[in-house]
Amino acid sequence: MTEKVAVITGSAGGLGKGIAERLANDGFDIVLHDINQDLLNETEKEFTDNGFKVTSFVGDVSKREDQFALVKHAVDTFGRLDVFVNNAGVEAVTPLMDIDEKELSKLFSINAFGMLFGTQAAAAQFIKQGGGGKIISASSIAGHESYPMLGTYSATKHVVRSFTQTASKELAKYKINVNAYAPGVAKTKMWDRIDAEMVKQDPSLKPGDAFAQYTADISLGRYEVPTDVANLVSFLASPDSDYITGQTILVDGGMVYR
Ligand SMILES: NC(=O)C1=CN([C@@H]2O[C@H](COP(=O)(O)OP(=O)(O)OC[C@H]3O[C@@H](n4cnc5c(N)ncnc54)[C@H](O)[C@@H]3O)[C@@H](O)[C@H]2O)C=CC1
Ligand SMILES: CC(=O)C(C)=O
């Protein structure tokens, strides 16, 4: 294939890193991105050692100018952009009655505004190039169904699903596909933090209990790993998904049925 270029936000670790590895193995030149510079440097070195064509960029998805600078870095380095993955996200575990302005502002800035700004930056480049492109964003099972203690987080992941639909309708005329992935419960640093916070909030729980409760009823009988998510993103980044747009696809082993 002619060389294609993929940007993955929040890809120094967790699901984003798994997605970046898969797209690198699919043949994409990779632009790693994260707010955590040290982890990003380690991951870039790992990719280079593995023989992948890679560059990295430090930025904050909640800052619109950072997202446009990220796309500029991709184009300055590799000459074009084909796929933009809005993966970066953060969580909060808070009873509904305690949710405050600080939490709302932080989570909406990163998970919702960040996804919109990334979509705008990628779409502007795709329109300039004139050949279409793929925008793929991280929603969640919590973007289809809201959970106790995860109220703000769930709301932001519903926003991702909403902007995915709007963007897909507005950008279809430029041959830009806009879709989202909705993972279930994956054992990343995010779930380590969620479990620790749920234990703090409920003295009857011990470490690992919240994760065990959330994963107990998964139909396929195991928790999610980054490759489960990366397999779906690889498909959404490929020509095989050219006739799919505006969808937020569950990849949860059988947790939420829509
Ligand atoms: N882990 C899970 O079970 C699930 C995760 N998701 C979503 O998948 C995405 C990835 O999640 P995980 O890998 O589990 O999270 P994680 O916390 O393990 O990794 C997220 C990465 O994003 C980076 N990041 C955080 N804020 C940033 C910002 N403002 N700008 C740039 N980078 C930033 C972090 O430094 C980190 O490297 C998130 O959007 C999350 O909401 C959705 C459903 C389930
Ligand atoms: C982290 C996340 O999206 C859930 C609901 O597991």
Side-chain angles (χ1 to χ4, degrees), residues 35-108:
I35 201 166
N36 181 337
Q37 174 143 35
D38 291 343
L39 193 57
L40 188 62
N41 289 344
E42 273 176 40
T43 303
E44 184 181 10
K45 181 172 181 318
E46 214 181 287
F47 274 54
T48 305
D49 291 348
N50 284 336
F52 297 142
K53 242 176 118 181
V54 65
T55 183
S56 69
F57 190 84
V58 179
D60 179 346
V61 292
S62 70
K63 300 206 161 79
R64 196 172 185 274
E65 69 273 18
D66 279 20
Q67 298 275 42
F68 280 78
L70 168 60
V71 168
K72 183 174 184 313
H73 177 77
V75 175
D76 287 348
T77 308
F78 292 129
R80 56 180 292 109
L81 179 70
D82 298 280
V83 170
F84 191 97
V85 184
N86 284 306
N87 170 76
V90 291
E91 78 294 341
V93 179
T94 313
L96 185 84
M97 298 300 282
D98 296 338
I99 294 171
D100 60 14
E101 292 96 331
K102 192 167 164 227
E103 172 177 315
L104 288 164
S105 176
K106 178 181 171 195
L107 264 70
F108 274 87

Side-chain angles (χ1 to χ4, degrees), residues 214-248:
Y214 262 81
T215 51
D217 295 326
I218 296 175
S219 297
L220 291 176
R222 65 168 175 85
Y223 62 74
E224 186 152 23
V225 293
T227 50
D228 295 319
V229 179
N231 289 341
L232 172 61
V233 175
S234 168
F235 167 68
L236 291 174
S238 80
D240 287 348
S241 64
D242 279 355
Y243 200 58
I244 299 174
T245 199
Q247 303 306 309
T248 296

